[in-house]
Amino acid sequence: MQVKGIARDTLDFILEASRSMAPEEFAGLLQEKDGIITEVLILPGTESSDTSAVLRLYMMPNMKAAGSVHSHPGHNRSPSEADLHLFSKTGNCHIIVGKPYSRQSWTCYDRKGKIRDLPVLDIEFEEDEEI
Ligand SMILES: [Zn+2]
């Protein structure tokens, strides 16, 4: 399934989580539905340092996901060596969030570490719909 974009609510959640975790890294796996990323599977665990969030992602038993997301403690959003390794393992959509964790301070990469476009979509979540 080709990823077409990410739901705005999901992106806002990622930014909020990154902000509250800083200066520690926030990390999770992206789950898509019908080609749209609507869910983040957050990694359990408390200890965190510059690279451990990514390494913990690595060790997840089931790596099937649309991609990954993690935050960097500074402004630099370039993927590290460990990041690139992770990118190649699962999905084709990898978000890195940097300071100040705003809607402008994130970048999406493909599995090779090249910057890719990820449209932010305003979608209604099914749970919110009235029956
Ligand atoms: Zn990183």
Side-chain angles (χ1 to χ4, degrees):
M1 173 66 76
Q2 193 70 27
V3 171
K4 290 176 282 197
I6 183 169
R8 187 176 300 279
D9 285 354
T10 306
L11 177 65
D12 284 345
F13 168 78
I14 288 169
L15 297 172
E16 183 59 45
S18 300
R19 201 178 301 130
S20 62
M21 286 286 289
E24 312 234 298
E25 274 192 48
F26 161 75
L29 290 174
L30 301 173
Q31 309 283 343
E32 56 88 20
K33 208 181 164 225
D34 301 327
I36 299 166
I37 293 164
T38 53
E39 256 186 86
V40 186
L41 193 71
I42 301 175
L43 278 183
T46 46
E47 47 181 315
S48 173
S49 70
D50 209 33
T51 54
S52 68
V54 168
L55 293 176
R56 271 186 287 132
L57 267 179
Y58 224 159
M59 293 188 291
M60 288 201 84
N62 183 0
M63 289 289 290
K64 210 169 180 309
S68 69
V69 55
H70 74 278
S71 64
H72 279 178
H75 291 88
N76 181 5
R77 303 200 294 275
S78 303
S80 68
E81 207 61 42
D83 292 347
L84 290 171
H85 230 76
L86 171 76
F87 292 0
S88 68
K89 293 282 174 191
T90 187
N92 198 31
C93 188
H94 301 277
I95 296 173
I96 297 181
V97 189
K99 258 182 166 176
Y101 313 110
S102 71
R103 281 182 178 172
Q104 282 74 43
S105 59
W106 61 281
T107 307
C108 189
Y109 300 90
D110 67 12
R111 62 167 68 239
K112 294 200 173 96
K114 282 214 322 217
I115 292 174
R116 58 160 284 177
D117 198 40
L118 184 68
V120 180
L121 308 169
D122 284 300
I123 60 146
E124 293 277 334
F125 285 97
E126 263 170 48
E127 299 88 76
D128 299 334
E129 275 173 22
E130 281 179 59
I131 299 159

